[in-house]
Amino acid sequence: MGYTTFMDLQLNSIIDNRDIEGPGRLASVNPAIEEEIASVSLLDRNGALLALEAADRAFSSWAATSVRERRRVLARWLEIMVSEEEELATLVSIENGKPVNEARLVDVAPGCATLSWWEANLERLLEGRRAVPDQLMFAHWKSGYRFDPLGVLSVITPWNYPVGIPMWELVPALAAGNTVVFKPASATILIGLRLAEMARRAGMPPGVLNAVALPGSASDVLLDDPRVAKVLFTGSVEIGRHVARRCAERIIPVQLELGGNDAAVVAADADIERTARGLVWGAFMNTGQSCASVERVFVERPAYEGLLDRITELTKGLKVGDPAQPDTDIGPMTTAEQREEVERQVEAALQQGARTQCGGKRIDGPGFYYPPTVLVDVSDEMEIMQEETFGPVMPIVPVEDIDEGIRRANASRFGLTASGWTQCTRKADRFQRELNAGAVTINEHGLTVCGEANACWGGVGESGIGRAHGEFGLHEVVNIKYVAQGPGNRNGEPWHYPYDEDLGRFLGAALPLLYQKGLRRYRGLGELLTTRHFRKRVRKSSLIRRIRQFF
Ligand code: NAD
């Protein structure tokens, strides 16, 4: 197809900063025209082992690199990404199918934002924190927290946001001093390899970020290898469960960012125009292939007809077509299998009595196109309402009141994001408190969370375990290490052997003094002062410093 004429594609895995070929081939396909873009060299298990070896070898020196040096690499990576943003967005559009403008908006911009935020905040985030011991017996100890890297991390990502998601996972992991074996999804392999190639140009030292073109079926080694300290997985519930089981076998931590069946609850007072626009975008952006897309809409009855009409009208006006054109709203789905799955779910709903307001039938011709589809007359028992529908489908349901909307929204195994739509602050507060999800937004769905590098991202229930992004995301990629250091008392500490009658008298007086309220706490003070433990083993200077704690 000649795509290589406008950009240099990275066709090999990158291990130890070297291009590594494997025994297999993987065709990358343009979903808009169903034609091969390029053929990538595919590794097998041995290739993955090479990557693990390289990451393991690089770990100790990368972990010892100054924060300043790591920031420098992130800054250069950002510079490259910004200056090549158009090319990167074009590659996203060609391989993933989303319109170029959308690729800039929801993939490249969040990728840049992540690099920028971590570069700016790394020093502050990784700086050790002092902890003041609460226990007076330890008052003379210097205590605090360190945020040390974990080791080699496996980062496994899906194809729906082939820049955004890898960057959300890779950047904090690398910034914190871990080394990584990164396995991008096969359907968007060129984009995944491209990110690693940019990092290499940015000066990422050899072995720190290794990107492997590896089929999912050969990826268990990234979970089982004893050198892997943690797995950051984003993908389906089915594979996520498999990943969690393997990690449980080795008792290593795992962060799971899985599916969603996100609900929007619309109050009768919502602004219809604003709500319709927000929901149409939230449901159909990225051709609905978002873990956090709007998948169920519950509308208070007085607003139902008006909102449905406006949503239908806006949906019919969306331009479905060539993602390379700047005025295309909806591109093709990324894979043929994904389109078949969506078709199957919609067909099943129609068989059970649902009706389409628009869409509902695949678009003929080359390309994995499926039109944005608005469904009514759906019931909660239908698969389309129970399961994640990874495609452009919006079922809309009238409800009697907000109570019913929230109850039905929460009746799900998933809980990634949710939204409430209202102009009333009291109702907004209710939505935020009562909707059961990892993030709840008012009058918008999703982007204000995943597009914000400082917001945390993650779900409840089967939507996953852990929180990526921002300050809380740091906790996923470090060993939060508590450290304590004392001058040490030559005569021993109060808790050291021997246990004797003097220790009994000491504790009998000290415990009320430390923990009882009112005057009764001082009843053993005189006794305390006479004990050998107090005289010889308690550091008086630290008690004086903390004297206020006794009153
Ligand atoms: P998937 O689970 O099929 O694949 C995800 C990744 O896992 C891919 O790289 C795949 O090659 C790899 N994989 C497959 N088998 C594996 C194995 N045995 N060991 C290790 N890795 C293996 O998911 P997908 O189809 O690529 O993506 C769609 C799913 O991802 C949807 O369910 C969507 O909701 C979810 N998702 C979740 C989030 C989130 O943040 N919660 C974000 C995006 C996508």
Side-chain angles (χ1 to χ4, degrees):
M1 280 303 296
Y3 289 108
T4 42
T5 56
F6 77 89
M7 66 176 74
D8 285 329
L9 297 173
Q10 177 66 33
L11 300 176
N12 294 314
S13 296
I14 297 179
I15 298 176
D16 238 346
N17 275 359
R18 286 178 300 131
D19 275 32
I20 302 293
E21 289 194 44
R25 302 303 310 168
L26 171 67
S28 163
V29 173
N30 180 333
I33 51 176
E34 299 183 43
E35 283 183 18
E36 184 173 319
I37 305 165
S39 165
V40 170
S41 169
L42 202 56
L43 298 179
D44 59 7
R45 190 173 182 280
N46 290 332
L49 285 170
L50 269 185
L52 288 162
E53 247 165 65
D56 189 45
R57 235 186 353 261
F59 173 64
S60 54
S61 59
W62 180 242
T65 313
S66 69
V67 170
R68 225 160 142 215
E69 178 51 28
R70 282 186 232 153
R71 284 184 57 193
R72 245 200 304 267
V73 179
L74 297 186
R76 279 199 294 260
W77 195 355
L78 174 60
E79 216 176 282
I80 293 170
M81 193 171 279
V82 180
S83 60
E84 296 174 16
E85 62 88 14
E86 194 176 351
E87 204 172 298
L88 184 60
T90 305
L91 181 60
V92 170
S93 181
I94 287 169
E95 200 180 31
N96 163 277
K98 67 186 67 152
V100 177
N101 277 334
E102 193 169 88
R104 282 175 141 156
L105 195 66
V106 299
D107 259 305
V108 181
C112 293
T114 304
L115 281 166
S116 166
W117 190 82
W118 282 88
E119 194 273 323
N121 290 283
L122 194 57
E123 214 120 19
R124 172 179 70 79
L125 291 172
L126 288 185
E127 199 170 53
R129 272 179 223 166
R130 207 173 149 239
V132 179
D134 177 64
Q135 171 56 268
L136 276 176
M137 278 196 286
F138 309 141
H140 56 293
W141 287 67
K142 276 195 205 132
S143 310
Y145 300 97
R146 292 181 53 85
F147 302 106
D148 287 338
L150 292 165
V152 176
L153 306 190
S154 292
V155 174
I156 301 171
T157 57
W159 44 261
N160 57 337
Y161 292 92
V163 174
I165 291 174
M167 295 304 283
W168 294 328
E169 305 299 336
L170 293 174
V171 173
L174 296 164
N178 301 286
T179 54
V180 168
V181 177
F182 163 43
K183 193 206 99 53
S186 301
T188 48
I189 192 64
L190 291 172
I191 304 161
L193 295 178
R194 177 76 165 192
L195 298 179
E197 184 270 335
M198 284 176 164
R200 176 169 63 182
R201 266 190 284 146
M204 197 68 81
V208 173
L209 171 58
N210 306 279
V212 291
L214 190 70
S217 54
S219 297
D220 277 356
V221 63
L222 301 182
L223 318 172
D224 297 343
D225 190 276
R227 289 167 290 203
V228 174
K230 180 162 185 174
V231 178
L232 308 183
F233 174 83
T234 309
S236 63
V237 173
E238 184 195 350
I239 306 288
R241 208 185 299 279
H242 168 80
V243 170
R245 281 202 189 105
R246 304 298 278 232
C247 291
E249 276 302 317
R250 294 188 44 231
I251 316 202
I252 59 163
V254 58
Q255 175 194 298
L256 300 174
E257 303 290 343
L258 308 179
N261 190 14
D262 292 5
V265 184
V266 183
D269 71 298
D271 179 319
I272 295 293
E273 185 62 22
R274 160 78 205 171
T275 305
R277 286 183 183 280
L279 289 176
V280 166
W281 189 83
F284 302 135
M285 184 268 292
N286 203 21
T287 325
Q289 302 167 116
S290 305
C291 45
S293 68
V294 174
E295 303 218 359
R296 299 172 295 149
V297 181
F298 298 102
V299 191
E300 268 193 306
R301 205 171 280 280
Y304 177 72
E305 288 297 336
L307 183 64
L308 180 62
D309 287 350
R310 189 62 185 130
I311 284 177
T312 306
E313 192 181 358
L314 286 172
T315 305
K316 284 180 176 166
L318 293 175
K319 188 170 171 204
V320 182
D322 179 1
Q325 297 305 318
D327 61 345
T328 294
D329 297 309
I330 312 267
M333 300 193 63
T334 306
T335 67
E337 301 77 47
Q338 198 55 49
R339 178 171 66 170
E340 272 162 32
E341 175 58 19
V342 170
E343 263 179 329
R344 194 191 60 70
Q345 285 190 17
V346 171
E347 269 313 309
L350 297 178
Q351 297 273 326
Q352 291 173 284
R355 284 184 304 113
T356 52
Q357 290 284 110
C358 53
K361 277 231 162 320
R362 77 156 65 181
I363 298 168
D364 287 333
F368 309 132
Y369 285 96
Y370 194 87
T373 299
V374 177
L375 284 183
V376 291
D377 294 346
V378 290
S379 65
D380 289 356
E381 296 70 41
M382 291 177 184
E383 187 185 357
I384 204 106
M385 293 292 276
Q386 292 279 322
E387 300 296 330
E388 177 177 49
T389 306
F390 219 51
V393 182
M394 176 166 28
I396 308 185
V397 181
V399 290
E400 292 314 315
D401 51 28
I402 289 179
D403 290 335
E404 184 188 344
I406 292 175
R407 183 174 48 74
R408 288 172 74 173
N410 285 344
S412 170
R413 309 190 320 272
F414 301 100
L416 189 56
T417 71
S419 57
W421 302 73
T422 178
Q423 300 187 69
C424 161
T425 45
R426 201 176 39 78
K427 286 179 190 161
D429 184 54
R430 252 200 93 182
F431 286 137
Q432 289 182 333
R433 193 174 54 247
E434 294 180 30
L435 286 170
N436 189 26
V440 176
T441 48
I442 303 300
N443 296 330
E444 189 51 61
H445 197 104
L447 187 73
T448 49
V449 188
C450 65
E452 169 54 58
N454 192 21
C456 72
W457 181 261
V460 298
E462 290 190 15
S463 288
I465 298 173
R467 292 288 180 273
H469 293 206
E471 205 145 345
F472 293 104
L474 173 76
H475 295 175
E476 295 285 344
V477 290
V478 292
N479 173 15
I480 305 172
K481 194 187 277 175
Y482 185 75
V483 289
Q485 182 178 349
N489 192 335
R490 285 205 65 225
N491 295 322
E493 302 288 353
W495 53 89
H496 284 174
Y497 295 127
Y499 293 165
D500 58 11
E501 191 242 346
D502 185 79
L503 176 63
R505 287 201 301 123
F506 171 78
L507 291 174
L511 285 175
L513 184 63
L514 290 172
Y515 304 117
Q516 208 152 43
K517 304 275 182 243
L519 285 177
R520 283 185 307 158
R521 67 190 298 194
Y522 304 113
R523 72 189 143 101
L525 189 58
E527 176 84 353
L528 181 77
L529 300 179
T530 67
T531 63
R532 182 173 35 82
H533 272 77
F534 181 78
R535 280 185 283 111
K536 295 241 157 108
R537 293 189 167 188
V538 171
R539 195 171 260 262
K540 313 300 177 299
S541 54
S542 52
L543 284 189
I544 289 164
R545 274 204 307 277
R546 303 275 292 270
I547 197 80
R548 285 172 57 189
Q549 214 166 322
F550 295 105
F551 300 103

